[in-house]
Amino acid sequence: MSESSPAPTTRRARVRAPELTGKGGWLNTGGNQYTLADLRGRIVILDFWTFCCINCLHVLDELRELEAKHRDTVVIIGVHSPKFVHEAEHQAVVDAVERYGVEHPVLDDPELATWKQYAVRAWPTLVVIDPEGYVVAQHAGEGHAHALAKLVEELEAEHAAKGTLRRGDGPYVAPEPEPTTLRFPGKALLLPSGNFLVSDTTRHQLVELAADGESVVRRIGSGARGFADGAAEDAAFNEPQGLALLDDGAVVVADTVNHALRRFDPATGRITTLAGTGRQWMQGEATEGPAREVNLSSPWDVAWWQGRVWIAMAGVHQLWAYDPADGTVSVTAGTTNEGLVDGPGAEAWFAQPSGLAATPERLWLADSETSALRWVDPDGQVHTAVGTGLFDFGHRDGAAGQALLQHPLGVTALPDGSVAVSDTYNHALRRYDPATGEVTTLATDLREPSDAVLAGEDIVVVESARHRLTRLRLPEEAVRVEAVAHRTQRAATEVAPGALRLDVIFQAPAGQKLDTRYGPSTRLLVSATPPELLLDGEGAGTDLARDLELNPAVSEGVLHVSAMAASCDDDPANEYPACHVHQQDWGVPVRLADTGTDRLPLVLAGLDA
C-alpha cells in the first residue's frame, strides 16, 4: 500500500502501550536508553523472546526481511524475558544478541517487568504499537511475518495520511566485532587426521583446527549468512551446528537456520546439500520422502546410528533420520508436542532436542528445554535418565531421579559406558553412569559448554561463550557442587475451580480468511501437569474455544495448550491463494482459587476484545 492510499476504514481496537522497563538496560543502542515517547511517530514491534527458545530464534529470522524493508518506519525492539536463571544474567543476554545476529535494540528485562505489563503468556510474543503509542495487535508463536507486513503497510498509509508517521534512522547501533579465532562455536568433531572440525556458528563457517585445538588449518564457507553449495571458499552456511562423520570420510553438517543437512568432503573441500529445501517445515507438510524435497526445521545435531544419520530436529521437538542408501528423510520419534513423555517413538514428546551421541545400544540425547538426558533404544522406545519436565531445572548431583540439569546442549559417550553432558546453562560438564544411576559433576567454570569430544585421554569441550575449545583430563573424581534447584519464575494465573472457558483468539490478517478448503483450518490440543488437574477438556479438537473442568482437589499446575490456524488470501479469482500457518504452544501456570477467573484468553493473533 503506497503512502497516498486512503486510510483503511476498519476501526482498529487500540490500547495505550505500557512503558518499556528492564533492569538490565538497553543493548544495541550505543549506550542510549529509550522510552516509548522517544519512539513516537514510528511503528514499534516488541518481540518478547528468550534465547533458549527455538521458536524465538525462528521469529528472529522471520523478522529479518521486514526489518530490512521498513527500516525507516519500523523499530523492532527485542524484550528479553528469561525462562532459565542463566538467561537473567546480563552478560548472557549480551552474548546471545551477538550469537544470533540480532540487528535491532534489545531491552534486557530479567525480572519480567515489561512482560507482566503487557500480560504476555508465551515465548515468543509480538506486540505492535502504532506511531501514536497504542497497542494495535498481538501475535504469539511463529508464522506471523506475512500478517505483520500487511499491518505495517496499513499503519504506514494510515499515519502518513494523518501526519503522525515519522521516517528516519532507527536507534540500532551495531556493536564492535571481536577478533577471536572462533565466535560462539556450536559443535566439534575429531577428524581421522587428529585435527578438529568445529562449527563456527556465528560466523557461518566450519573451521578445521590442528590437533592443538587452536591453530587454524582452514576455514570452510564464505563467512556470509547464506545457502550455497560449492568450493570451500564459495559455499555458504547459516548458523551451522552439529557434525557427524560418515563411513566414507565425509562429514554431515546440521545447517540449522538453513533447515538443511549439508555434506562436507574434507578431501576436496566441497559442500553439497543432502536434505532440506532451505524452507522451514510447518504443520501439515510431508514428514518423509526424498530428502531434497522435504522441509526440515532447525536441525541442531546429527549422529550416525543404525545405518542412518539421526537428526535432533530442535525446531519441531522430534527426531528424524536421513538414509543415505535411498536418499530419504523420515520422522523417527516425537509428535511435535513439546514436553517430556516416554514410550514408543511415535508417542514420545521432546522439547528442543539439541545434542546426540550414539553407542551400539543407545542413542543418547540432550533434551534442552526439559533440562533432560534421554535415550532411544534399538526398538525405538524413548527413555529418560535425568529430568522431569519443562519447568524444573538446577544443578544437583546424586541419584538420577532427583538430579537436575539446566538446558544442556551436548552429550558425549565415554569409554566406560557412561556419558558426559554439556550442561550449558550451569557452565558445567556432568556425568551420568547408567550402571549406578548416579549423576556427578566433572568440571565447572566452563562458559556455556555446548559439546565435547574425546581425544585420547582427554575430553575437549566446546566452550561456546569463551569462543574456544578447552582440553580437560577426564577426572578420576567428581567435583563437589552445592545443590541448587529452580522452577521457571512466571506468575501463576488464578483460576476458579470447576468450569473454565479457554478462548484462543485468532483474527485472520487483513485480506485473508481461514482456509477451510480441505476441512477445518484450526487445531487445539490441551493437556495438563499434573494430568489430574483436568477433569474434562483434555485432548485434540478443531475448535479454538473449549470448556475445561478443573479439579478442585488440585491446588496448582500447568495447562499445556497448543494451537494452530491456517489462513489464505481472500481472493475468489485466485485459484492458488498464498496460505500461512500460525502456531504456538503455551504452558500456563495456574493456581486454583475461589476468587479466580472462569475464562482464560490466549492470543494467537489479534487482540482480546
Side-chain angles (χ1 to χ4, degrees):
M1 190 179 289
S2 68
E3 280 192 27
S4 59
S5 302
T9 55
T10 52
R11 295 283 301 167
R12 192 180 286 112
R14 301 201 309 172
V15 179
R16 177 62 73 183
E19 192 50 81
L20 306 177
T21 56
K23 203 170 183 180
W26 290 81
L27 306 176
N28 278 0
T29 62
N32 294 317
Q33 308 295 302
Y34 284 92
T35 66
L36 277 177
D38 299 325
L39 303 170
R40 199 59 50 81
R42 313 301 285 274
I43 300 161
V44 177
I45 300 175
L46 303 181
D47 175 15
F48 289 88
W49 69 300
T50 189
F51 64 77
C52 70
C53 155
I54 191 68
N55 312 89
C56 299
L57 303 186
H58 289 166
V59 167
L60 282 177
D61 290 310
E62 284 180 6
L63 291 174
R64 291 186 200 279
E65 186 178 342
L66 181 77
E67 200 164 22
K69 186 176 178 183
H70 299 274
R71 201 170 282 283
D72 65 335
T73 58
V74 172
V75 175
I76 295 175
I77 293 173
V79 183
H80 190 269
S81 313
K83 171 185 173 181
F84 289 99
V85 168
H86 169 58
E87 292 175 308
E89 292 178 22
H90 182 69
Q91 185 56 46
V93 181
V94 173
D95 287 347
V97 167
E98 182 190 349
R99 181 194 297 267
Y100 297 116
V102 179
E103 295 185 353
H104 50 248
V106 172
L107 177 64
D108 180 12
D109 183 18
E111 295 175 348
L112 302 180
T114 297
W115 165 286
K116 291 169 189 166
Q117 284 291 310
Y118 281 82
V120 174
R121 294 185 184 275
W123 297 277
T125 291
L126 298 165
V127 174
V128 182
I129 302 171
D130 74 11
E132 293 177 285
Y134 290 92
V135 173
V136 293
Q138 183 172 324
H139 301 268
E142 302 178 44
H144 301 292
H146 178 78
L148 286 173
K150 287 261 194 196
L151 179 56
V152 163
E153 288 177 3
E154 278 189 16
L155 290 171
E156 284 178 343
E158 181 181 331
H159 289 275
K162 288 173 70 173
T164 47
L165 185 70
R166 179 168 57 88
R167 293 180 181 272
D169 292 334
Y172 171 67
V173 178
E176 287 293 316
E178 298 283 346
T180 51
T181 301
L182 301 172
R183 206 69 194 158
F184 298 105
K187 304 286 184 182
L189 179 68
L190 185 66
L191 294 169
S193 65
N195 289 351
F196 294 95
L197 188 66
V198 184
S199 53
D200 196 14
T201 305
T202 297
R203 293 213 179 110
H204 315 296
Q205 290 179 315
L206 310 181
V207 179
E208 185 176 343
L209 299 176
D212 62 8
E214 296 179 15
S215 308
V216 176
V217 176
R218 60 176 163 168
R219 292 183 177 273
I220 300 101
S222 66
R225 189 189 290 273
F227 190 6
D229 289 341
E233 61 274 16
D234 302 322
F237 298 98
N238 199 341
E239 298 182 26
Q241 287 281 352
L243 307 165
L245 197 63
L246 298 179
D247 291 343
D248 63 2
V251 176
V252 178
V253 182
D255 193 4
T256 304
V257 180
N258 278 330
H259 311 295
L261 295 190
R262 315 292 291 282
R263 181 183 186 272
F264 165 58
D265 185 340
T268 65
R270 289 196 69 79
I271 306 294
T272 51
T273 299
L274 293 176
T277 64
R279 293 185 300 278
Q280 183 188 338
W281 184 92
M282 288 292 180
Q283 289 285 354
E285 294 181 348
T287 55
E288 61 182 349
R292 293 289 304 272
E293 298 172 18
V294 177
N295 295 340
L296 309 182
S297 182
S298 298
W300 206 276
D301 203 5
V302 279
W304 179 256
W305 192 55
Q306 294 186 324
R308 293 186 290 174
V309 176
W310 286 62
I311 309 162
M313 203 70 80
V316 283
H317 318 298
Q318 289 179 311
L319 300 179
W320 290 42
Y322 165 72
D323 189 340
D326 60 8
T328 59
V329 288
S330 59
V331 175
T332 52
T335 63
T336 76
N337 295 324
E338 185 178 9
L340 194 154
V341 176
D342 290 339
E347 299 171 15
W349 292 23
F350 301 100
Q352 222 167 292
S354 302
L356 298 174
T359 67
E361 303 80 28
R362 294 183 179 187
L363 179 72
W364 293 97
L365 67 121
D367 203 27
S368 61
E369 281 291 286
T370 52
S371 297
L373 172 66
R374 305 175 73 184
W375 87 88
V376 183
D377 67 27
D379 295 327
Q381 294 279 324
V382 178
H383 311 261
T384 298
V386 183
T388 58
L390 286 164
F391 302 101
D392 292 290
F393 58 92
H395 191 151
R396 187 160 64 199
D397 287 334
Q402 56 83 57
L404 294 171
L405 308 168
Q406 186 180 176
H407 197 81
L409 290 178
V411 58
T412 308
L414 300 179
D416 64 357
S418 67
V419 290
V421 179
S422 295
D423 193 6
T424 309
Y425 288 3
N426 280 327
H427 311 301
L429 194 65
R430 311 286 291 282
R431 177 176 177 263
Y432 168 70
D433 187 349
T436 63
E438 292 284 312
V439 176
T440 52
T441 298
L442 294 174
T444 57
D445 192 34
L446 300 164
R447 186 73 187 166
E448 292 193 22
S450 54
D451 195 20
V453 291
L454 287 173
E457 298 289 306
D458 299 335
I459 189 162
V460 177
V461 180
V462 179
E463 236 189 315
S464 189
R466 283 200 180 110
H467 319 293
R468 70 186 188 193
L469 302 188
T470 299
R471 186 181 292 266
L472 305 171
R473 180 55 52 97
L474 268 174
E476 298 285 330
E477 293 184 15
V479 179
R480 289 195 64 80
V481 176
E482 198 66 38
V484 289
H486 301 289
R487 295 210 90 187
T488 300
Q489 294 305 307
R490 280 190 289 161
T493 300
E494 290 207 340
V495 294
L500 177 70
R501 176 71 170 182
L502 172 65
D503 282 325
V504 174
I505 290 115
F506 178 76
Q507 292 153 5
Q512 293 197 354
K513 63 178 182 179
L514 287 173
D515 176 20
T516 55
R517 290 171 301 162
Y518 308 108
S521 60
T522 55
R523 188 189 71 165
L524 182 66
L525 178 71
V526 180
S527 63
T529 303
E532 47 272 20
L533 172 63
L534 269 181
L535 293 175
D536 191 33
E538 185 181 15
T542 57
D543 193 344
L544 290 181
R546 188 176 301 179
D547 292 314
L548 310 181
E549 184 78 20
L550 301 185
N551 187 348
V554 178
S555 59
E556 61 180 14
V558 178
L559 289 174
H560 305 283
V561 180
S562 177
M564 184 194 83
S567 62
C568 295
D569 291 346
D570 188 8
D571 180 1
N574 186 354
E575 191 179 349
Y576 303 104
C579 297
H580 305 272
V581 175
H582 316 261
Q583 60 189 70
Q584 173 60 18
D585 296 334
W586 292 266
V588 183
V590 295
R591 185 182 302 112
L592 272 62
D594 291 335
T595 56
T597 182
D598 61 1
R599 178 176 177 265
L600 179 62
L602 299 175
V603 177
L604 179 61
L607 288 175
D608 180 22

